[in-house]
Amino acid sequence: MYSNFQQQNQNNLNDKLTQSIHVNRLLLSSAVNDSYQTFEEKKTFFTRIHQKTIDEFKKDENISLVQLRNKIVSLFQLNDVKVDIYVINKEYVITDATFEKDIGLDFKNIFGGKKYFDNISRDNDIHIENDLLIDYMDESIKVYSCASLNHDKYLQMSFADPFIYKKLRQTVENISKSTQNKINLFRITKTPSNEEYYENILNDETIINKEEYLNLQKKFPINRVTDDAIINANRQNKIIRSDKNIAKNLLTFYIPIFSKKKEGSSLDRNFIMKMDIDISEYLNQQQKNKNIFILLGIVLFTLIGILYNFIKNHFYFPITKITQNFKDNITINDPDLLSKKDEFGTLANEYNTLYSKLQNQVENNQHLLNENKQFIADMVHQIRTPLTVIMTNASLIEMQTQDQVSSYIKQINSAINMLSNSYEDLAYGITNDTIEYKPSEIDISKLLHERIDFFEVIAEANEKTIVTDIAMDIHLYMNDIELERLIDNNLSNAIKHSHDKSKIKIILEKINSEVLLQFISEGKHIYDVSKIFDKNYTESYGAKRSLGLGLNMVKTICEKNNIYYAVNSINHMNTFTYIFKG
């Protein structure tokens, strides 16, 4: 807001400066034009006077120029115009003059001077200069006329009105006073040596000799860059701003009075106005605004601090305490918070009540879970003995029975082995989080053959054949029960989900320091291999339902022992791959 406010103030200042420049430029150009307009109306009259002066001079060339001037002034009653007469030789130097300060002036040192007199010498006409000049030596505005007397001499006259110059000075002072801006007016003049200089039109300096005065002026070569603001404003024909006096609260502008020289005009257009604008009022207001915003900022930050502390003590701290208790899963014991009569106090007390109920429910559920787990453990223990008896007696019956019933005995043995495998899964499932299964060195080649022999009965009963490609004498460092669960579940799934009369291939090989174990079976396509190891996930296989626990148990064992596991299903060939790292 402060930045926007300051920008608006800056825009207002720029508008004020632009308006001030425009007004002063308009007033000053009008004053200069009015001052010069008087001479425009008298040029015909000045031509008549010049012609009469030539006639009188030719009658008596020995007459003094002062006498000649007095005679002309009396003849034409020139009471409001000051007249001076100059004699110029063929070297373009003033040899005699009624205005003695100009004697010795060499026009070859004045831009366009030689060319001007060369043009005059070609005819007998009287030439009145288009440009009106300000003469600082007698503080007047003059117009010059000139004619050739012969090839060796020129007669020049000047017509000056000192009151117009004084009026111009007074007008500039009035403009400066009314607009409260300090104003100076400069005129740019060129020299024959391709240089330019400027003169202060409002100059108060006393000038004794014009030649010396011109020689003392600082010259600026036209083809050389300069940092002088007056010269640059004229060359570039644009307003130049200077901040060198900003410490004094002043901005200085150098302004071309006339945008360009008008053709055929009697007015020298190379005028530059220097204007100093006092911006102390703006700067004081800017400082006041700054102080107001500083005070506003202090008040605002104080209010924000009070509001912050209020929110922190009445909202942030209670919310933090409550959420921290949520994270820590403990009751809220802060007496200040519990004694509050607002929403936070109500929330804290309600939380404690709900937490207490939840804890009671959790304890009840844990008690039920423990009882359920103990029941399963007892049942597993109770099943072990009769299952062992059944398996032993089934083997004895198979040895003594006749061939006619041997197929039935195989079915019974298959069912017993499947029941035994499920029993071992159940036993591991209820004990893996309470019993530490320590690893040891295992001959996986031997263990794999033993488990295949165990499942051979189940495979035969289901009219499926197990073929092997098992490398011998491969050892692993792993718990034997967990390795057995991994093998058994893969064999069981392969038998259960493969096509009838198909082959199940088991591959075991060592590649460098890694051991590769694969179970390959031909069965229905596995549609979502990314979920096949998830708990309770099963794909629909008609009547062959599954609990979805076996492969999840395999996944748990693999992740515990850093075993890579993956499944691939292409063209009804399902491959379960396990890589044991060395």
Side-chain angles (χ1 to χ4, degrees), residues 409-446:
I409 297 300
K410 285 182 180 180
Q411 293 290 336
I412 293 172
N413 283 334
S414 172
I416 292 171
N417 286 350
M418 291 175 65
L419 181 61
S420 175
N421 180 60
S422 297
Y423 167 81
E424 295 298 338
D425 279 349
L426 184 60
Y428 177 80
I430 64 173
T431 59
N432 69 335
D433 58 347
T434 57
I435 296 177
E436 182 182 0
Y437 288 88
K438 295 182 178 181
S440 61
E441 188 175 346
I442 305 171
D443 186 343
I444 186 175
S445 303
K446 181 180 178 182

Side-chain angles (χ1 to χ4, degrees), residues 377-391 420 423-424 427-428 431:
D378 291 342
M379 287 299 297
V380 168
H381 180 71
Q382 292 294 329
I383 292 172
R384 183 183 294 275
T385 301
L387 182 60
T388 303
V389 173
I390 292 172
M391 291 177 67
S420 175
Y423 167 81
E424 295 298 338
Y428 177 80
T431 59

Side-chain angles (χ1 to χ4, degrees), residues 6 9-10 13 278-287:
Q6 292 295 77
N9 283 348
Q10 183 64 46
L13 174 63
D278 188 351
I279 59 169
S280 56
E281 182 180 350
Y282 163 78
L283 294 176
N284 291 335
Q285 185 61 45
Q286 190 179 47
Q287 186 60 45

Side-chain angles (χ1 to χ4, degrees), residues 254-363:
Y254 299 88
I255 309 158
I257 295 299
F258 304 101
S259 59
K260 60 182 179 179
K261 185 178 177 71
K262 294 182 179 179
E263 292 296 330
S265 171
S266 63
L267 183 59
D268 185 348
R269 295 281 160 174
N270 296 322
F271 283 94
I272 301 297
M273 175 176 64
K274 177 185 176 184
M275 182 169 64
D276 292 321
I277 300 180
D278 188 351
I279 59 169
S280 56
E281 182 180 350
Y282 163 78
L283 294 176
N284 291 335
Q285 185 61 45
Q286 190 179 47
Q287 186 60 45
K288 288 180 182 178
N289 294 339
K290 185 176 182 180
N291 294 337
I292 290 172
F293 274 96
I294 290 174
L295 181 61
L296 264 171
I298 293 172
V299 172
L300 182 62
F301 279 110
T302 302
L303 290 175
I304 290 175
I306 294 172
L307 182 61
Y308 169 77
N309 286 323
F310 177 80
I311 294 175
K312 184 177 180 181
N313 294 326
H314 291 80
F315 293 92
Y316 176 75
F317 281 158
I319 291 174
T320 302
K321 289 177 182 178
I322 292 173
T323 54
Q324 188 60 47
N325 283 86
F326 287 175
K327 291 179 181 178
D328 296 340
N329 195 25
I330 58 175
T331 57
I332 299 172
N333 297 318
D334 189 327
D336 293 334
L337 184 57
L338 293 172
S339 62
K340 283 180 174 291
K341 301 301 181 182
D342 56 11
E343 290 82 356
F344 295 110
T346 303
L347 178 61
N349 284 287
E350 286 294 326
Y351 167 76
N352 282 348
T353 301
L354 292 174
Y355 181 84
S356 178
K357 291 181 179 179
L358 180 61
Q359 287 300 108
N360 291 335
Q361 191 66 40
V362 169
E363 289 177 2

Side-chain angles (χ1 to χ4, degrees), residues 399-488:
M399 288 187 293
Q400 296 180 11
T401 188
Q402 298 179 1
D403 293 339
Q404 296 91 325
V405 295
S406 62
S407 62
Y408 300 109
I409 297 300
K410 285 182 180 180
Q411 293 290 336
I412 293 172
N413 283 334
S414 172
I416 292 171
N417 286 350
M418 291 175 65
L419 181 61
S420 175
N421 180 60
S422 297
Y423 167 81
E424 295 298 338
D425 279 349
L426 184 60
Y428 177 80
I430 64 173
T431 59
N432 69 335
D433 58 347
T434 57
I435 296 177
E436 182 182 0
Y437 288 88
K438 295 182 178 181
S440 61
E441 188 175 346
I442 305 171
D443 186 343
I444 186 175
S445 303
K446 181 180 178 182
L447 180 61
L448 192 57
H449 278 295
E450 291 175 356
R451 300 318 298 164
I452 290 173
D453 291 342
F454 179 81
F455 278 90
E456 195 74 51
V457 176
I458 301 174
E460 289 179 4
N462 287 274
E463 297 182 336
K464 296 169 186 178
T465 305
I466 299 176
V467 295
T468 62
D469 182 6
I470 300 173
M472 300 306 294
D473 200 26
I474 297 178
H475 291 76
L476 293 175
Y477 189 74
M478 182 177 172
N479 181 266
D480 56 345
I481 294 176
E482 290 181 334
L483 182 56
E484 184 178 299
R485 291 298 88 225
L486 186 151
I487 295 170
D488 285 8

Side-chain angles (χ1 to χ4, degrees), residues 27-44:
L27 290 174
L28 197 56
S29 63
S30 177
V32 173
N33 278 323
D34 289 345
S35 298
Y36 281 13
Q37 187 64 34
T38 304
F39 286 99
E40 289 286 337
E41 299 169 357
K42 296 181 178 181
K43 281 188 176 181
T44 303

Side-chain angles (χ1 to χ4, degrees), residues 57 63-69 83-88 93-105 107 142 144 154-158 210:
F57 184 78
I63 188 172
S64 70
L65 296 184
V66 174
Q67 291 177 337
L68 180 59
R69 181 185 63 182
V83 177
D84 279 303
I85 304 172
Y86 309 84
V87 175
I88 302 166
V93 177
I94 297 177
T95 57
D96 193 11
T98 56
F99 188 62
E100 294 180 357
K101 293 181 180 181
D102 275 353
I103 295 176
L105 179 65
F107 283 97
K142 295 180 179 180
Y144 287 88
Y154 301 90
L155 182 70
Q156 186 181 55
M157 295 187 69
S158 68
K210 184 176 290 186

